Amino acid sequence: MGDLDLSELPVAPESFDPEAFGEFYRRHERSIAGLLMRRTGSAELAADLTAEVFAAALLAWRQRAGPVLDERAWLFGIAQHKLVDELIGGGR
């Protein structure tokens, strides 16, 4: 399955394609949740952080925040940042 070219997605909310983002989510949710579960040891925290990762990805997706050559690496980077924020900042 090929990567989506996020740089071609529209900025305008009325043009946003939720189906494309849903497919993107389904393709990557399991690996992101698994990574965060292994790193945190907590299913609840991993689920919360996974939601935060995809919320951040959605915002970037809608704002076309730079080209994404490797979706999985991009999401893992977001996940790492969310995990560090949680560990250093003590959570929400």
Side-chain angles (χ1 to χ4, degrees):
M1 200 176 291
D3 288 344
L4 294 174
D5 183 358
L6 299 183
S7 67
E8 293 182 4
L9 290 173
V11 174
E14 62 274 4
S15 301
F16 177 68
D17 183 0
E19 296 294 324
F21 190 81
E23 180 181 325
F24 171 79
Y25 174 85
R26 287 185 295 278
R27 189 166 50 248
H28 297 291
E29 184 273 336
R30 183 180 233 175
S31 64
I32 297 301
L35 168 76
L36 292 167
M37 179 61 195
R38 287 187 301 278
R39 296 276 173 92
T40 65
S42 165
E44 183 178 347
L45 181 55
D48 288 347
L49 291 173
T50 298
E52 289 182 24
V53 167
F54 283 97
L58 177 60
L59 289 174
W61 179 300
R62 292 181 78 169
Q63 295 170 358
R64 298 188 335 183
V68 174
L69 300 177
D70 184 337
E71 292 177 347
R72 192 166 184 246
W74 180 62
L75 285 171
F76 273 53
I78 296 171
Q80 186 64 33
H81 286 274
K82 294 296 181 185
L83 180 59
V84 168
D85 290 347
E86 176 67 26
L87 296 175
I88 291 175
R92 295 156 281 288

